Amino acid sequence: MSNTSEVRIQINGEVFERHVEPRKLLSDFIREDAALTGTHVGCEHGACGACTVLLDGEPVRSCLMFAAQADGMVLETVESLASTPANLHPIQEAFWEKHGLQCGFCTPGMLLTTKALLEKNPDPSEDEIRQAIAGNICRCTGYVFIVDAIKDAAARCSSEGDR
Amino acid sequence: MKPARFEYLAPTSVEEAVSLLVEGGEDAKLLAGGQSLVPLMNLRLAQPSVLIDLNKVEGISSITESEDAVVIGSMARHRAVAESEVVRRFLPLLAESAGHIGYPAIRARGTIGGSIAHADPVSEFPCACLCLHAEFVLTGPAGTRQVRAEDFFVSYLTTALSPDEILTEVRFPKPSPGLGWGFLELARKTGDFALAAVAATVALSPDGTCSEASIAVAGGGDRPLRMVEAETMLKGNQGDDVIARAATAAATSSNPPSDIHSSGDFRRQMIEVLTRRVLTAAWGNARRGE
């Protein structure tokens, strides 16, 4: 019963080929098999949003998928954002600048949810921002600075696009 | 690892999925979007021995229209339903209800068929389907059968699906032109489970009175409920008074549960308020018939 199967998942441009048990969650595959621990697991039942990753460009909860289901798919995790530690993505710069994090646990999910939001809607209203991050729970900030950071990120991303 | 062990199968056709379901027996479970089942598995409240993943099954996720119907494959994601041109044009109520389901990440994975088959009594899609007179196509070893939404939802998380059947298609009759509609939901926060939700459509006669009405309530009991008494009160009538009386009737016909989120009495009051607002909205965007 504990048959393993081979999966090939492309994460941040690198292909990871591993044998996994069917019950291995995608979030655990990312952290344990791909050793990308930027993706955080909070509740592990789809309530907190910390484990959000981009699957073929769309935000999904990696704790609500099995690694076997992502076979052949393309994932982006938080590690894909900054090209080097010194060269942050504009969304990360905005979160830094506007104090959009405190403990940082929810931040990977917030950043990727923001990336997906801004790709669809480059100039979101405050209401649209709050709707978009409603599924990402932060217990530190009270969300005010996160919303500020996303507004700032939208401005940075669009001015980058103009350059 | 969080879930208990299981055997994972990923069929590519409906026929293959049905035969795997029959072979798998009682402990086999279908995996659609996984936004309800996988949490249950992670908590080990569900421990299927065989998991049949429908995500690779071809031909059951498209959204198409025929002359008299809109047909949505059961594996269409919430987001696809919410953003579909066909759905927005013919079934704006359904598109609106899809936007209330969870969060962007949930809507990217969750499916209309999964939501309907799961049959959570506070879910948006079952309520919208009931209001819009949907029919469900169920495919089993003996072929397909169609079950009306009204006959499908039996009780809490219980439907007319047999253990060897798969919900493959959701069919909506195209509404008559000018049909008014409304959908409103009350939840503790954006994207949370609804405390109550109400869907309604209203068709108007040339004189502005109601010729047809359909009202469905989520959170009013162990399944989505059609509010037949309230519908009957509306027919042939118009005005705020009859809307208010119909809303009271909908609340009286509901029997909402009490839990840590809200008392049943509060839910019942909210069903009255939501019904009144939804009917007012439906009246407002309905066009008078010829």
Side-chain angles (χ1 to χ4, degrees):
Chain A
M1 254 268 276
S2 66
N3 54 333
T4 62
S5 60
E6 187 174 307
V7 297
R8 281 170 59 91
I9 305 174
Q10 185 184 318
I11 309 177
N12 308 334
E14 189 181 339
V15 174
F16 293 86
E17 249 184 271
R18 302 283 189 275
H19 285 273
V20 297
E21 264 195 78
R23 62 176 171 153
K24 175 149 246 171
L25 296 171
L26 181 57
S27 47
D28 289 337
F29 181 91
I30 294 167
R31 290 177 57 85
E32 295 166 9
D33 297 75
L36 293 165
T37 52
T39 300
H40 292 169
V41 288
C43 70
E44 293 184 87
H45 63 274
C48 78
C51 70
T52 303
V53 299
L54 301 181
L55 176 74
D56 293 334
E58 288 208 81
V60 302
R61 300 192 156 176
S62 58
C63 76
L64 295 188
M65 276 185 75
F66 298 105
Q69 293 186 279
D71 184 30
M73 291 184 174
V74 176
L75 286 186
E76 290 165 70
T77 67
V78 70
E79 288 90 345
S80 71
L81 292 177
S83 50
T84 66
N87 191 8
L88 296 180
H89 188 281
I91 297 172
Q92 291 170 309
E93 281 179 359
F95 270 69
W96 185 352
E97 198 68 38
K98 298 292 177 185
H99 304 287
L101 64 147
Q102 286 180 31
C103 85
F105 196 90
C106 71
T107 310
M110 287 287 182
L111 293 172
L112 292 170
T113 301
T114 301
K115 184 167 188 242
L117 168 70
L118 296 182
E119 268 163 21
K120 262 185 81 178
N121 182 356
D123 185 24
S125 66
E126 172 156 348
D127 192 47
E128 287 167 336
I129 291 170
R130 287 182 177 273
Q131 295 271 342
I133 61 165
N136 294 75
I137 292 175
C138 170
R139 297 290 80 158
C140 299
T141 62
Y143 301 99
V144 172
F145 291 169
I146 294 178
V147 173
D148 289 349
I150 296 174
K151 285 183 193 164
D152 188 49
R156 285 169 191 261
C157 288
S158 62
S159 72
E160 235 187 34
D162 294 341
R163 272 209 295 265
Chain B
M1 283 185 240
K2 304 290 281 186
R5 286 201 174 89
F6 58 83
E7 187 184 355
Y8 174 79
L9 302 168
T12 55
S13 72
V14 172
E15 295 70 30
E16 194 187 348
V18 169
S19 63
L20 290 174
L21 190 55
V22 172
E23 276 170 40
E26 247 176 52
D27 284 340
K29 199 85 181 127
L30 297 169
L31 175 64
Q35 306 299 292
S36 299
L37 177 58
V38 180
L40 292 171
M41 290 177 68
N42 288 357
L43 297 164
R44 299 208 179 186
L45 294 170
Q47 303 193 10
S49 56
V50 179
L51 195 63
I52 303 165
D53 187 355
L54 297 176
N55 284 277
K56 296 205 163 62
V57 173
E58 283 171 27
I60 55 167
S61 55
S62 60
I63 300 175
T64 56
E65 65 168 306
S66 67
E67 201 175 317
D68 54 358
V70 174
V71 181
I72 302 181
S74 57
M75 287 298 288
R77 314 274 172 196
H78 302 331
R79 180 172 160 186
V81 174
E83 294 179 355
S84 154
E85 283 300 317
V86 173
V87 173
R88 295 173 79 93
R89 181 163 163 219
F90 293 105
L91 308 167
L93 189 161
L94 189 71
E96 173 72 19
S97 75
H100 286 272
I101 306 172
Y103 317 104
I106 301 288
R107 296 195 287 273
R109 291 294 297 169
T111 66
I112 187 168
S115 170
I116 291 166
H118 187 54
D120 188 320
V122 301
S123 281
E124 291 82 357
F125 276 151
C127 176
C129 286
L130 194 59
C131 178
L132 296 169
H133 315 292
E135 290 202 323
F136 306 137
V137 179
L138 316 182
T139 307
T144 64
R145 65 184 177 118
Q146 269 180 242
V147 178
R148 297 185 314 160
E150 247 165 283
D151 304 319
F152 183 79
F153 301 104
V154 176
S155 177
Y156 188 74
L157 307 182
T158 307
T159 70
L161 269 167
S162 300
D164 58 0
E165 284 179 322
I166 301 175
L167 171 58
T168 46
E169 221 170 70
V170 187
R171 305 179 69 91
F172 296 89
K174 274 189 187 166
S176 51
L179 189 76
W181 66 275
F183 182 92
L184 282 174
E185 170 172 324
L186 179 73
R188 283 171 58 101
K189 68 183 244 316
T190 299
D192 213 333
F193 289 104
L195 296 177
V198 181
T201 61
V202 171
L204 298 183
S205 301
D207 65 357
T209 60
C210 170
S211 58
E212 291 280 332
S214 177
I215 306 169
V217 168
D222 62 358
R223 61 187 189 282
L225 301 172
R226 265 292 287 280
M227 293 300 167
V228 179
E229 192 191 334
E231 292 169 6
T232 310
M233 292 167 82
L234 293 172
K235 276 175 209 164
N237 291 306
Q238 63 178 315
D240 292 344
D241 283 355
V242 71
I243 288 177
R245 285 202 304 279
T248 306
T252 312
S253 308
S254 301
N255 187 21
S258 295
D259 59 29
I260 55 164
H261 301 300
S262 142
S263 69
D265 281 344
F266 177 71
R267 282 193 170 92
R268 187 179 288 111
Q269 284 178 40
M270 292 304 103
I271 288 168
E272 179 165 358
V273 172
L274 293 176
T275 305
R276 194 169 64 231
R277 291 183 185 172
V278 158
L279 287 172
T280 305
W283 230 284
N285 62 38
R287 289 197 314 274
R288 291 182 187 196
E290 299 302 309

